[in-house]
């Protein structure tokens, strides 16, 4: 269980990841079940103190419960510990959990909850409760949490100790573009003066050709190939992070071609650093146009 980032309403996000190995160790072992429950309560008490004394004045959280590692049926003891934990939250901290996002939920578990209504009895009627299967997990997370705040592990761009893009910035702008099968998108960042620019790209499961270049506004000046076309595969790093120093006005052109037979979601964000500011970006220099080889263009 960890805390990471904020959702679109400014609530801190807690991630609870359940695994099969816990279910095996907890089966028919009440002592270990009580130990896990006490640990969850200790984690909650410790992090609640941070919320109460924070400058954000936020007294609710969003709880993401990941069931991806629970690959088989028969983790009843582990589920009962989680239900007990949620019941304690409801009894002692009413309305503390604003949202519960259950992700990577298997089909049999969703049916189980609908039939027996085991989960809904312990939650407030004012709370948002969402169950999402593996194919809809990323879509569900991005609906409530900005991709800039979602950890890389769950399909987003946020990384621990990221020195370039700060995860504490809940308003970080991320462009989401859907690329159709066997088509390309060209992303253009326009700059009116010299500066340093950082960018990040992510496609959920790479299967694309990527290249980046700088095109100066002055005719006759040389085009700089920052990254020549290269094939990106699933085994490559999930996030492309690159930077470039612009010595004159021009545009940064990034091209992504989806070579697969399925449409893909592309995440893009940029940070501009002026010569006089080595940390804070200059918002007036930010802006991009996303085009494709299709009839309709997308503008952000």
């Amino acid at each position: 269980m960890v805390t990471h980032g904020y959702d679109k309403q400014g609530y801190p996000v807690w991630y609870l990841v359940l695994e099969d190995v816990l279910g095996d160790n907890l089966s028919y072992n009440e002592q270990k079940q009580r130990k896990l429950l006490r640990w969850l309560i200790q984690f909650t008490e410790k992090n609640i103190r941070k919320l109460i004394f924070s400058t954000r004045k936020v007294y609710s959280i969003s709880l993401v419960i990941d069931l991806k590692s629970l690959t088989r049926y028969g983790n009843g003891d582990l589920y009962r510990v989680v239900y007990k934990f949620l019941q304690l939250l409801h009894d002692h901290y009413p309305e503390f959990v604003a949202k519960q996002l259950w992700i990577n939920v298997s089909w049999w578990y969703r049916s189980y909850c609908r039939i027996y209504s085991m989960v809904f009895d312990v939650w407030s009627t004012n709370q948002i409760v969402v169950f999402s299967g593996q194919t809809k997990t990323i879509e569900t997370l991005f609906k409530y949490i900005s991709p800039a705040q979602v950890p890389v592990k769950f399909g987003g761009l946020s990384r621990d100790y990221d020195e370039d893009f700060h995860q504490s910035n809940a308003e970080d702008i991320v462009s989401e573009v859907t690329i159709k099968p066997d088509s390309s998108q060209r992303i253009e960042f326009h700059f009116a003066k010299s500066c340093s620019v950082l960018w990040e790209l992510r496609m959920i499961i790479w299967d694309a050709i990527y290249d980046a270049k700088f095109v100066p506004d002055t005719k006759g000046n040389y085009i700089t190939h920052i990254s020549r076309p290269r094939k990106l595969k699933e085994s490559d790093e999930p996030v492309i992070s690159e930077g470039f120093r612009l010595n004159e006005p021009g545009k940064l052109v990034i091209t992504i071609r989806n070579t697969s037979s399925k449409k893909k979601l592309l995440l893009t964000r940029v940070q501009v650093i002026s010569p006089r500011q080595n940390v804070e970006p200059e918002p007036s220099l930010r802006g991009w146009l996303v085009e494709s080889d299709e009839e309709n263009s997308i503008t952000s």
Side-chain angles (χ1 to χ4, degrees):
M1 193 169 185
V2 297
T3 63
H4 192 108
Y6 301 86
D7 68 6
K8 292 181 178 180
Q9 291 183 292
Y11 297 142
V13 183
W14 294 10
Y15 292 85
L16 174 58
V17 182
L18 305 179
E19 298 182 355
D20 270 332
V21 64
L22 291 178
D24 293 336
N25 292 336
L26 292 175
S27 297
Y28 311 108
N29 192 322
E30 294 184 1
Q31 182 178 358
K32 290 184 178 180
Q33 294 177 32
R34 289 195 299 267
K35 184 177 180 180
L36 174 59
L37 182 59
R38 286 198 301 269
W39 183 88
L40 291 172
I41 295 172
Q42 290 173 358
F43 178 91
T44 301
E45 294 287 350
K46 178 181 178 180
N47 286 277
I48 282 178
R49 296 191 188 101
K50 297 179 182 179
L51 292 180
I52 293 176
F53 295 104
S54 69
T55 57
R56 287 177 169 267
K57 297 182 180 179
V58 175
Y59 300 94
S60 297
I61 67 165
S62 291
L63 179 61
V64 178
I65 302 178
D66 182 18
L67 305 182
K68 184 176 182 179
S69 296
L70 295 183
T71 57
R72 58 179 176 81
Y73 183 87
N75 290 278
D77 294 306
L78 179 57
Y79 288 131
R80 278 189 285 273
V81 174
V82 175
Y83 298 152
K84 181 63 176 178
F85 170 63
L86 297 176
Q87 181 70 64
L88 290 173
L89 286 180
H90 174 67
D91 293 342
H92 298 281
Y93 299 96
E95 310 302 332
F96 174 66
V97 180
K99 304 182 189 72
Q100 289 199 32
L101 309 180
W102 293 67
I103 60 174
N104 294 310
V105 182
S106 59
W107 65 268
W108 60 263
Y109 185 72
R110 295 198 301 273
S111 302
Y112 184 74
C113 292
R114 282 195 294 266
I115 295 174
Y116 295 100
S117 301
M118 291 182 60
V119 180
F120 300 102
D121 293 338
V122 300
W123 295 332
S124 168
T125 56
N126 296 326
Q127 187 178 141
I128 296 176
V129 181
V130 179
F131 288 89
S132 174
Q134 292 190 8
T135 58
K136 297 291 185 179
T137 286
I138 293 177
E139 178 182 335
T140 300
L141 288 176
F142 289 175
K143 180 180 179 180
Y144 298 98
I145 309 171
S146 169
Q149 295 289 305
V150 176
V152 171
K153 174 183 178 181
F154 294 100
L157 294 174
S158 182
R159 292 171 290 188
D160 292 329
Y161 311 109
D162 194 333
E163 297 179 357
D164 297 329
F165 294 91
H166 304 290
Q167 69 174 14
S168 60
N169 182 8
E171 297 181 356
D172 198 359
I173 300 175
V174 175
S175 175
E176 301 178 43
V177 181
T178 300
I179 309 180
K180 293 184 178 180
D182 196 25
S183 64
S184 62
Q185 293 284 348
R186 189 175 76 253
I187 309 169
E188 297 183 359
F189 301 91
H190 298 264
F191 306 96
K193 56 183 178 180
S194 61
C195 61
S196 296
V197 58
L198 306 172
W199 66 90
E200 287 189 338
L201 299 172
R202 176 167 194 179
M203 180 182 286
I204 307 305
I205 303 179
W206 286 115
D207 195 357
I209 298 175
Y210 159 76
D211 72 88
K213 61 184 178 181
F214 173 69
V215 181
D217 288 343
T218 304
K219 293 184 178 180
N221 287 6
Y222 290 105
I223 296 175
T224 303
H225 291 274
I226 303 171
S227 180
R228 294 196 176 271
R230 57 190 174 99
K231 176 74 173 181
L232 299 174
K233 301 180 180 179
E234 184 177 356
S235 57
D236 293 330
E237 289 293 328
V239 179
I240 294 178
S241 300
E242 291 191 334
F244 186 70
R245 169 67 183 171
L246 284 69
N247 295 319
E248 59 179 317
K251 61 182 178 180
L252 173 67
V253 181
I254 299 174
T255 304
I256 295 287
R257 181 168 187 84
N258 180 13
T259 58
S260 72
S261 59
K262 299 180 180 179
K263 65 179 181 180
K264 296 293 185 69
L265 177 64
L266 176 68
L267 304 179
T268 308
R269 68 174 172 176
V270 63
Q271 185 176 49
V272 180
I273 303 175
S274 68
R276 293 168 296 178
Q277 296 174 318
N278 294 324
V279 179
E280 296 296 330
E282 189 170 316
S284 61
L285 295 177
R286 175 179 292 182
W288 59 79
L289 172 68
V290 181
E291 299 178 346
S292 70
D293 56 4
E294 301 162 11
E295 294 182 359
N296 297 325
S297 62
I298 305 173
T299 304
S300 299

Short mmCIF file of all heavy atoms in Angstrom, two decimals, residues 239-275:
data_model
loop_
_atom_site.label_atom_id
_atom_site.label_comp_id
_atom_site.label_asym_id
_atom_site.label_seq_id
_atom_site.Cartn_x
_atom_site.Cartn_y
_atom_site.Cartn_z
N VAL A 239 8.36 4.69 -21.17
CA VAL A 239 8.29 6.14 -21.37
C VAL A 239 9.55 6.62 -22.08
O VAL A 239 10.67 6.30 -21.67
CB VAL A 239 8.13 6.88 -20.03
CG1 VAL A 239 8.07 8.40 -20.26
CG2 VAL A 239 6.88 6.41 -19.29
N ILE A 240 9.36 7.38 -23.16
CA ILE A 240 10.47 8.04 -23.85
C ILE A 240 10.68 9.41 -23.21
O ILE A 240 9.76 10.22 -23.15
CB ILE A 240 10.19 8.21 -25.35
CG1 ILE A 240 10.11 6.85 -26.04
CG2 ILE A 240 11.26 9.06 -26.01
CD1 ILE A 240 9.77 6.96 -27.51
N SER A 241 11.87 9.67 -22.71
CA SER A 241 12.20 10.96 -22.10
C SER A 241 13.42 11.53 -22.82
O SER A 241 14.49 10.92 -22.79
CB SER A 241 12.50 10.80 -20.61
OG SER A 241 11.39 10.27 -19.92
N GLU A 242 13.24 12.69 -23.45
CA GLU A 242 14.34 13.32 -24.17
C GLU A 242 14.29 14.83 -23.96
O GLU A 242 13.27 15.39 -23.52
CB GLU A 242 14.28 12.99 -25.66
CG GLU A 242 14.58 11.54 -25.97
CD GLU A 242 14.77 11.28 -27.46
OE1 GLU A 242 14.22 12.04 -28.27
OE2 GLU A 242 15.48 10.31 -27.79
N GLY A 243 15.38 15.48 -24.30
CA GLY A 243 15.46 16.92 -24.19
C GLY A 243 16.30 17.49 -25.31
O GLY A 243 17.08 16.79 -25.96
N PHE A 244 16.16 18.81 -25.55
CA PHE A 244 16.90 19.47 -26.62
C PHE A 244 17.03 20.95 -26.30
O PHE A 244 16.11 21.57 -25.74
CB PHE A 244 16.19 19.27 -27.96
CG PHE A 244 16.95 19.79 -29.14
CD1 PHE A 244 18.10 19.16 -29.58
CD2 PHE A 244 16.51 20.92 -29.82
CE1 PHE A 244 18.80 19.64 -30.67
CE2 PHE A 244 17.19 21.40 -30.92
CZ PHE A 244 18.35 20.76 -31.35
N ARG A 245 18.17 21.52 -26.67
CA ARG A 245 18.42 22.94 -26.49
C ARG A 245 18.19 23.67 -27.81
O ARG A 245 18.87 23.39 -28.81
CB ARG A 245 19.86 23.14 -26.02
CG ARG A 245 20.35 24.58 -26.04
CD ARG A 245 19.63 25.43 -25.05
NE ARG A 245 20.07 26.82 -25.12
CZ ARG A 245 19.49 27.81 -24.49
NH1 ARG A 245 18.43 27.57 -23.75
NH2 ARG A 245 19.94 29.04 -24.60
N LEU A 246 17.21 24.60 -27.85
CA LEU A 246 16.91 25.36 -29.05
C LEU A 246 17.66 26.69 -29.01
O LEU A 246 17.50 27.46 -28.06
CB LEU A 246 15.40 25.64 -29.14
CG LEU A 246 14.48 24.49 -29.58
CD1 LEU A 246 14.39 23.41 -28.52
CD2 LEU A 246 13.08 25.04 -29.86
N ASN A 247 18.46 26.97 -30.03
CA ASN A 247 19.24 28.20 -30.09
C ASN A 247 18.59 29.26 -30.97
O ASN A 247 19.13 30.36 -31.13
CB ASN A 247 20.65 27.91 -30.60
CG ASN A 247 21.43 27.04 -29.64
OD1 ASN A 247 21.36 27.22 -28.43
ND2 ASN A 247 22.15 26.06 -30.18
N GLU A 248 17.44 28.94 -31.55
CA GLU A 248 16.73 29.89 -32.41
C GLU A 248 15.26 29.51 -32.46
O GLU A 248 14.88 28.39 -32.09
CB GLU A 248 17.33 29.86 -33.82
CG GLU A 248 17.26 28.48 -34.49
CD GLU A 248 17.84 28.50 -35.89
OE1 GLU A 248 17.55 29.48 -36.62
OE2 GLU A 248 18.56 27.55 -36.25
N PRO A 249 14.39 30.44 -32.89
CA PRO A 249 12.96 30.10 -33.00
C PRO A 249 12.72 28.98 -34.00
O PRO A 249 13.43 28.85 -34.99
CB PRO A 249 12.33 31.42 -33.48
CG PRO A 249 13.29 32.47 -33.09
CD PRO A 249 14.66 31.85 -33.20
N GLY A 250 11.73 28.18 -33.73
CA GLY A 250 11.41 27.07 -34.63
C GLY A 250 10.40 26.14 -34.00
O GLY A 250 9.69 26.50 -33.06
N LYS A 251 10.33 24.94 -34.51
CA LYS A 251 9.38 23.96 -33.99
C LYS A 251 10.03 22.60 -33.84
O LYS A 251 10.89 22.20 -34.62
CB LYS A 251 8.15 23.86 -34.90
CG LYS A 251 8.44 23.40 -36.32
CD LYS A 251 7.16 23.39 -37.15
CE LYS A 251 7.44 22.97 -38.59
NZ LYS A 251 6.20 22.97 -39.41
N LEU A 252 9.61 21.93 -32.80
CA LEU A 252 10.02 20.56 -32.54
C LEU A 252 8.96 19.65 -33.13
O LEU A 252 7.78 19.77 -32.80
CB LEU A 252 10.16 20.32 -31.05
CG LEU A 252 10.43 18.89 -30.58
CD1 LEU A 252 11.82 18.44 -31.04
CD2 LEU A 252 10.30 18.80 -29.07
N VAL A 253 9.35 18.76 -34.01
CA VAL A 253 8.40 17.86 -34.70
C VAL A 253 8.68 16.42 -34.26
O VAL A 253 9.77 15.90 -34.47
CB VAL A 253 8.52 17.98 -36.23
CG1 VAL A 253 7.51 17.06 -36.91
CG2 VAL A 253 8.30 19.43 -36.67
N ILE A 254 7.68 15.81 -33.66
CA ILE A 254 7.77 14.42 -33.22
C ILE A 254 6.74 13.61 -34.00
O ILE A 254 5.58 13.99 -34.08
CB ILE A 254 7.50 14.30 -31.71
CG1 ILE A 254 8.55 15.10 -30.92
CG2 ILE A 254 7.52 12.83 -31.27
CD1 ILE A 254 8.27 15.16 -29.44
N THR A 255 7.19 12.51 -34.57
CA THR A 255 6.30 11.68 -35.37
C THR A 255 6.24 10.28 -34.77
O THR A 255 7.27 9.67 -34.47
CB THR A 255 6.78 11.58 -36.83
OG1 THR A 255 6.90 12.90 -37.37
CG2 THR A 255 5.80 10.79 -37.68
N ILE A 256 5.03 9.80 -34.59
CA ILE A 256 4.79 8.45 -34.08
C ILE A 256 3.91 7.71 -35.08
O ILE A 256 2.83 8.19 -35.44
CB ILE A 256 4.09 8.46 -32.72
CG1 ILE A 256 4.99 9.07 -31.65
CG2 ILE A 256 3.68 7.06 -32.30
CD1 ILE A 256 6.12 8.19 -31.22
N ARG A 257 4.38 6.57 -35.56
CA ARG A 257 3.59 5.75 -36.48
C ARG A 257 3.21 4.45 -35.79
O ARG A 257 4.06 3.69 -35.34
CB ARG A 257 4.35 5.46 -37.76
CG ARG A 257 3.51 4.62 -38.74
CD ARG A 257 4.09 4.55 -40.13
NE ARG A 257 3.17 3.89 -41.05
CZ ARG A 257 2.17 4.46 -41.68
NH1 ARG A 257 1.97 5.77 -41.48
NH2 ARG A 257 1.38 3.81 -42.49
N ASN A 258 1.91 4.20 -35.72
CA ASN A 258 1.38 2.98 -35.14
C ASN A 258 1.45 1.87 -36.19
O ASN A 258 0.71 1.88 -37.17
CB ASN A 258 -0.05 3.21 -34.68
CG ASN A 258 -0.68 1.97 -34.06
OD1 ASN A 258 0.01 1.00 -33.76
ND2 ASN A 258 -1.99 2.00 -33.88
N THR A 259 2.34 0.92 -35.96
CA THR A 259 2.52 -0.16 -36.94
C THR A 259 1.68 -1.39 -36.63
O THR A 259 1.77 -2.39 -37.34
CB THR A 259 4.00 -0.57 -37.00
OG1 THR A 259 4.43 -0.98 -35.69
CG2 THR A 259 4.86 0.60 -37.47
N SER A 260 0.91 -1.34 -35.56
CA SER A 260 0.11 -2.50 -35.18
C SER A 260 -1.25 -2.45 -35.85
O SER A 260 -1.61 -1.48 -36.52
CB SER A 260 -0.06 -2.54 -33.65
OG SER A 260 -0.94 -1.52 -33.24
N SER A 261 -2.02 -3.50 -35.65
CA SER A 261 -3.36 -3.59 -36.24
C SER A 261 -4.44 -3.12 -35.28
O SER A 261 -5.62 -3.28 -35.55
CB SER A 261 -3.65 -5.04 -36.65
OG SER A 261 -3.55 -5.91 -35.52
N LYS A 262 -4.02 -2.53 -34.14
CA LYS A 262 -4.96 -2.03 -33.14
C LYS A 262 -4.71 -0.55 -32.89
O LYS A 262 -3.59 -0.08 -33.00
CB LYS A 262 -4.83 -2.80 -31.83
CG LYS A 262 -5.11 -4.29 -31.95
CD LYS A 262 -4.97 -4.97 -30.61
CE LYS A 262 -5.25 -6.47 -30.71
NZ LYS A 262 -5.09 -7.15 -29.40
N LYS A 263 -5.75 0.17 -32.55
CA LYS A 263 -5.57 1.58 -32.20
C LYS A 263 -4.84 1.67 -30.86
O LYS A 263 -5.00 0.83 -29.97
CB LYS A 263 -6.91 2.30 -32.14
CG LYS A 263 -7.85 1.83 -31.04
CD LYS A 263 -9.14 2.63 -31.06
CE LYS A 263 -10.10 2.19 -29.95
NZ LYS A 263 -11.35 2.98 -29.96
N LYS A 264 -4.01 2.72 -30.72
CA LYS A 264 -3.20 2.88 -29.53
C LYS A 264 -3.38 4.28 -28.95
O LYS A 264 -3.61 5.25 -29.67
CB LYS A 264 -1.72 2.67 -29.88
CG LYS A 264 -1.36 1.26 -30.36
CD LYS A 264 -1.51 0.25 -29.25
CE LYS A 264 -1.04 -1.13 -29.68
NZ LYS A 264 0.40 -1.22 -29.87
N LEU A 265 -3.27 4.36 -27.62
CA LEU A 265 -3.36 5.64 -26.93
C LEU A 265 -1.95 6.17 -26.70
O LEU A 265 -1.09 5.48 -26.14
CB LEU A 265 -4.07 5.47 -25.59
CG LEU A 265 -4.18 6.73 -24.71
CD1 LEU A 265 -5.03 7.79 -25.40
CD2 LEU A 265 -4.74 6.40 -23.34
N LEU A 266 -1.71 7.41 -27.14
CA LEU A 266 -0.42 8.06 -26.98
C LEU A 266 -0.54 9.19 -25.97
O LEU A 266 -1.41 10.05 -26.08
CB LEU A 266 0.08 8.61 -28.33
CG LEU A 266 1.39 9.41 -28.29
CD1 LEU A 266 2.55 8.48 -27.96
CD2 LEU A 266 1.62 10.12 -29.62
N LEU A 267 0.35 9.19 -24.96
CA LEU A 267 0.41 10.26 -23.97
C LEU A 267 1.62 11.14 -24.26
O LEU A 267 2.71 10.63 -24.53
CB LEU A 267 0.53 9.68 -22.56
CG LEU A 267 -0.56 8.70 -22.11
CD1 LEU A 267 -0.26 8.20 -20.71
CD2 LEU A 267 -1.93 9.35 -22.17
N THR A 268 1.43 12.45 -24.20
CA THR A 268 2.51 13.39 -24.49
C THR A 268 2.46 14.54 -23.49
O THR A 268 1.38 15.05 -23.18
CB THR A 268 2.35 13.99 -25.90
OG1 THR A 268 2.20 12.95 -26.85
CG2 THR A 268 3.57 14.82 -26.27
N ARG A 269 3.63 14.95 -23.01
CA ARG A 269 3.71 16.18 -22.22
C ARG A 269 5.06 16.83 -22.44
O ARG A 269 6.04 16.17 -22.82
CB ARG A 269 3.48 15.91 -20.74
CG ARG A 269 4.55 15.11 -20.02
CD ARG A 269 4.26 15.06 -18.53
NE ARG A 269 5.14 14.15 -17.83
CZ ARG A 269 5.14 13.98 -16.51
NH1 ARG A 269 4.29 14.67 -15.77
NH2 ARG A 269 5.96 13.14 -15.93
N VAL A 270 5.11 18.14 -22.22
CA VAL A 270 6.31 18.92 -22.51
C VAL A 270 6.55 19.92 -21.39
O VAL A 270 5.60 20.40 -20.74
CB VAL A 270 6.17 19.66 -23.86
CG1 VAL A 270 5.04 20.65 -23.83
CG2 VAL A 270 7.47 20.35 -24.25
N GLN A 271 7.81 20.20 -21.15
CA GLN A 271 8.19 21.23 -20.20
C GLN A 271 9.25 22.11 -20.82
O GLN A 271 10.24 21.61 -21.37
CB GLN A 271 8.72 20.62 -18.90
CG GLN A 271 9.01 21.66 -17.81
CD GLN A 271 9.44 21.02 -16.52
OE1 GLN A 271 10.32 20.16 -16.51
NE2 GLN A 271 8.82 21.42 -15.42
N VAL A 272 9.04 23.42 -20.78
CA VAL A 272 9.93 24.39 -21.39
C VAL A 272 10.69 25.13 -20.30
O VAL A 272 10.09 25.59 -19.33
CB VAL A 272 9.17 25.39 -22.26
CG1 VAL A 272 10.12 26.38 -22.89
CG2 VAL A 272 8.38 24.65 -23.33
N ILE A 273 12.00 25.25 -20.46
CA ILE A 273 12.85 25.95 -19.51
C ILE A 273 13.56 27.07 -20.24
O ILE A 273 14.28 26.83 -21.22
CB ILE A 273 13.88 25.00 -18.87
CG1 ILE A 273 13.16 23.83 -18.19
CG2 ILE A 273 14.74 25.74 -17.86
CD1 ILE A 273 14.09 22.79 -17.63
N SER A 274 13.35 28.30 -19.82
CA SER A 274 13.99 29.44 -20.45
C SER A 274 15.44 29.53 -19.99
O SER A 274 15.82 28.96 -18.97
CB SER A 274 13.25 30.74 -20.10
OG SER A 274 13.42 31.03 -18.73
N PRO A 275 16.31 30.26 -20.70
CA PRO A 275 17.71 30.36 -20.31
C PRO A 275 17.92 30.96 -18.93
O PRO A 275 18.86 30.62 -18.24
CB PRO A 275 18.30 31.27 -21.39
CG PRO A 275 17.39 31.13 -22.55
CD PRO A 275 16.03 30.93 -21.97
#
